[in-house]
Amino acid sequence: MPARRRPARRTVPSGEAGRRFPGFDVLDQTDAWDPATAATVHQRLQLQPDLRYFTPVEEACAGALLDRLLAQDGPPERPKVPVLQMIDARLAEARTDGWRYRDMPEDGEAWRASLRALDEDAADRYGAPFAALDPDRQRALVQAVQDLRGKPWHGMPAAHVWSLWTRYACTAFYAHPWSWNEIGFGGPAYPRGYARLGVGARERWEHPDADPADPAGPDPGGDGADDGPADHGPHGHDSADDSPADRKDRT
């Protein structure tokens, strides 16, 4: 059989510049994946297609929102996971989670409605669209939505809007090899699998965390209780209203 040709090698920058997992590059695992898996991973490093779902106004608002949710801040030349493009592709192709809350529109329309609402809040409070605001004002508006929890926000339960935003944002972000380098994830364990199971056990390809302290710090309440979505940080997800009875299956 002819030798399998390895995809073009490309260094994957880490979101934290290698601070927690110095020397780790997930693409070093390419030879351990089967051809289909390797092609899928490497494809995520290519340029994403042009937006097909969001309008230019929605694109501006959604891009700023996602940067705040995922703390993808920094100068324009700093690499970012293309979360906006990945979400746009999902919505354009109707690749949803397969369910929605009964009191929420379909995911695509829920995104459009929530972005309109965010722009309305920005205009009412600061006199400008959300994307035109400085990051601190954007964070204040996003935090205000999270703090509402299950209360209504522009005709939708705020907790369910928060769930929509964070589910799509985190699914896209943590599907990308750049984020894998940041968290020390070795990529798909297929077909290799894992052999060393147990707390603190590492496979030979895994790197130790050089800075394992929780960046969010200890729970200020000290009892470990969940005090609501405001304590979850930018990646938080409020599950208080996520019971199956609140969901509606899609067919």
Side-chain angles (χ1 to χ4, degrees):
M1 293 179 62
R4 171 161 61 92
R5 187 163 69 91
R6 183 173 181 172
R9 186 70 169 83
R10 182 172 175 179
T11 299
V12 183
S14 167
E16 296 194 351
R19 177 177 65 81
R20 291 186 59 188
F21 298 93
F24 176 73
D25 183 350
V26 70
L27 293 191
D28 289 341
Q29 310 307 315
T30 296
D31 288 338
W33 303 329
D34 66 9
T37 300
T40 297
V41 172
H42 281 258
Q43 187 277 330
R44 295 175 186 175
L45 295 170
Q46 307 307 312
L47 291 176
Q48 296 293 313
D50 293 337
L51 299 190
R52 293 172 286 157
Y53 186 80
F54 290 127
T55 67
V57 172
E58 292 166 346
E59 173 187 358
C61 184
L65 167 65
L66 293 165
D67 282 351
R68 301 292 79 75
L69 289 173
L70 297 165
Q72 291 210 96
D73 304 311
E77 65 273 12
R78 181 178 178 179
K80 291 198 305 185
V81 176
V83 173
L84 173 63
Q85 292 84 349
M86 295 166 77
I87 292 175
D88 181 88
R90 281 189 65 184
L91 296 175
E93 298 164 14
R95 291 187 283 112
T96 66
D97 292 330
W99 61 270
R100 64 180 171 89
Y101 295 106
R102 295 176 181 174
D103 48 14
M104 290 286 287
E106 296 283 341
D107 286 4
E109 179 51 38
W111 268 100
R112 293 196 193 281
S114 62
L115 295 174
R116 285 195 302 268
L118 205 51
D119 268 339
E120 290 174 10
D121 283 2
D124 290 344
R125 186 167 175 180
Y126 299 114
F130 183 79
L133 303 179
D134 64 66
D136 285 341
R137 288 182 169 182
Q138 291 174 348
R139 290 188 192 98
L141 290 171
V142 173
Q143 187 65 56
V145 177
Q146 186 185 28
D147 289 344
L148 285 171
R149 304 192 68 175
K151 295 178 182 178
W153 180 68
H154 292 268
M156 299 174 286
H160 293 174
V161 173
W162 187 256
S163 171
L164 176 82
W165 290 348
T166 54
R167 279 187 288 115
Y168 274 77
C170 292
T171 296
F173 186 80
Y174 288 109
H176 198 280
W178 290 358
S179 67
W180 297 352
N181 275 3
E182 182 176 313
I183 64 175
F185 175 55
Y190 181 82
R192 173 175 54 191
Y194 288 95
R196 300 176 183 176
L197 306 179
V199 177
R202 290 192 304 272
E203 303 292 343
R204 57 180 176 76
W205 67 85
E206 295 180 307
H207 285 225
D209 190 343
D211 186 11
D214 184 351
D219 180 1
D223 60 1
D226 179 6
D227 293 327
D231 293 327
H232 291 311
H235 300 128
H237 172 65
D238 178 20
S239 61
D241 298 314
D242 284 2
S243 65
D246 290 327
R247 301 178 179 178
K248 177 180 179 181
D249 291 337
R250 288 180 177 164
T251 57

